[in-house]
Amino acid sequence: MTTPSTERALRLTVLVGESDGWHHRPVYTEIVHRAHAAGLAGASVFRGIEGFGASSMIHTQRLLSLSEDLPVAVVIVDTEEKVRAFLPLIKELTGAGPVVLDACELVRWGEAEEAR
């Protein structure tokens, strides 16, 4: 078994509403496409099942109170340099929504390690 290698990285999490739009396109889709165009390692979008934000209104997917504006998190992990360079490219998309940066370690196993 190969010992994994690790490297320092930065995780960017952008929290938006599912119904937030940018030029007839969901904001989360626009962020993913901009991340791809910027050459970032990858981006994932996670749909929340319940949450609230600055409005203090709770959005939920429970049957009796279906919401069309559930919380969505776009998560991107790459080198600190690449993530910080990407921030200005999404400033106009995030509005007052939270953007979170977390230091993390990227673990590479076996083939992924050799592909570098």
Side-chain angles (χ1 to χ4, degrees):
M1 186 160 111
T2 310
T3 303
S5 67
T6 62
E7 61 184 272
R8 296 179 76 182
L10 199 60
R11 177 177 50 220
L12 166 66
T13 305
V14 182
L15 301 169
V16 298
E18 185 177 28
S19 67
D20 293 349
W22 178 259
H23 296 249
H24 309 291
R25 181 184 218 176
V27 167
Y28 58 86
T29 299
E30 184 66 21
I31 293 170
V32 168
H33 284 265
R34 289 184 186 196
H36 184 259
L40 293 172
S44 297
V45 178
F46 301 94
R47 184 176 188 231
I49 58 172
E50 190 167 54
F52 71 93
S55 71
S56 293
M57 176 186 264
I58 294 180
H59 301 276
T60 182
Q61 74 170 17
R62 282 182 275 150
L63 190 58
L64 296 176
S65 57
L66 289 175
S67 175
E68 294 182 9
D69 192 24
L70 292 170
V72 174
V74 182
V75 178
I76 298 167
V77 178
D78 208 321
T79 64
E80 181 173 356
E81 180 181 293
K82 288 182 179 180
V83 170
R84 290 194 184 278
F86 181 64
L87 288 173
L89 302 178
I90 60 168
K91 180 181 178 186
E92 63 190 347
L93 304 174
T94 60
V99 175
V100 180
L101 294 173
D102 296 301
C104 60
E105 284 187 71
L106 189 58
V107 178
R108 300 211 187 254
W109 297 91
E111 291 179 20
E113 184 179 329
E114 293 168 11
R116 288 189 299 153

